[in-house]
Amino acid sequence: MIVVCDTELKQVRARLQAVSDIRDFLISRNISNFFKSDAEIVEEATQLVELLYTLEKRNIWVTRQINKIIDLMYQGWKPFEGHLYFFSTPEIPHQAAKADCIKRDAVMVIIMSPAEETFIEATVRYTGKSYWIALQKVKVRDKEEWRWINGEKPDRTYWAAGQPSSSQPGPYCAEITKWCYLQHKCWGQIPCLSNRGWICKMAPHPDFVI
């Protein structure tokens, strides 16, 4: 003879009632759920709970990303095509500027498109300052070439008239000059130890577009 205590009996009844309630809910969504076994009903309910949990986590993540963007924009970061840009106030050498961007969880700006160049030039004209970009002259197999700090060659360049020039003492880095009067003719070559403002670029998250 199997003896079931009152507490266990209540728990069993509660589970049965829960399954019944879940079945009623699923039937209200789709009549085909009427023909499912209790095991199938419980499995489907479990999947729904997991989905809701995943969606809740996603909503929390999205909220955090939005709050992060809002905080950065209050600090002066500017949005453009899914990235944020920081235009500095102080002026420092190129290497120190690269290090500052890393501290900000960003990188010195690598310009990827004419539209991005146009956006940056417009800001440079507004501020009236010159800014470092992540382009420098390096030796590659005994020859000097202009490369981004990630080692890649620029797909496009936007040098001002007469630039780049090798007449100045090296090493050389590239700036977007405040004397930027012609569109897409704004890059200048200057010694990397010169003091300039700098531009940092950040993607808040690869799956999150501003």
Side-chain angles (χ1 to χ4, degrees), residues 108-172:
M108 187 181 286
V109 65
I110 294 174
I111 297 168
M112 303 299 293
S113 70
E116 186 176 25
E117 173 72 14
T118 298
F119 159 73
I120 291 171
E121 287 180 10
T123 306
V124 169
R125 291 188 188 98
Y126 176 77
T127 61
K129 292 181 57 174
S130 298
Y131 294 87
W132 292 122
I133 57 176
L135 190 65
Q136 53 195 9
K137 201 170 189 180
V138 297
K139 238 176 201 182
V140 181
R141 292 186 291 276
D142 297 326
K143 187 174 87 171
E144 289 191 325
E145 295 181 357
W146 285 95
R147 296 284 182 100
W148 295 115
I149 56 175
N150 63 6
E152 294 183 3
K153 285 185 177 182
D155 291 333
R156 298 179 180 85
T157 58
Y158 305 97
W159 295 106
Q163 296 289 325
S165 168
S166 59
S167 61
Q168 302 177 51
Y172 304 120

Side-chain angles (χ1 to χ4, degrees), residues 34-125:
F34 178 82
F35 303 101
K36 290 181 179 176
S37 67
D38 286 355
E40 290 173 323
I41 291 293
V42 170
E43 182 180 358
E44 189 160 343
T46 302
Q47 291 172 354
L48 283 172
V49 169
E50 290 173 353
L51 175 61
L52 289 172
Y53 178 68
T54 301
L55 290 173
E56 182 182 11
K57 286 201 299 183
R58 171 72 182 177
N59 287 339
I60 291 171
W61 177 84
V62 169
T63 300
R64 286 175 179 167
Q65 288 294 319
I66 291 171
N67 289 338
K68 177 182 177 181
I69 291 168
I70 291 171
D71 288 343
L72 288 170
M73 289 178 70
Y74 272 123
Q75 295 169 31
W77 290 73
K78 302 178 185 303
F80 180 75
E81 290 191 348
H83 290 79
L84 293 170
Y85 297 78
F86 172 80
F87 292 78
S88 77
T89 300
E91 296 184 343
I92 56 178
H94 197 266
Q95 188 64 30
K98 286 192 294 184
D100 179 83
C101 288
I102 292 170
K103 287 180 185 177
R104 298 175 189 272
D105 294 323
V107 294
M108 187 181 286
V109 65
I110 294 174
I111 297 168
M112 303 299 293
S113 70
E116 186 176 25
E117 173 72 14
T118 298
F119 159 73
I120 291 171
E121 287 180 10
T123 306
V124 169
R125 291 188 188 98

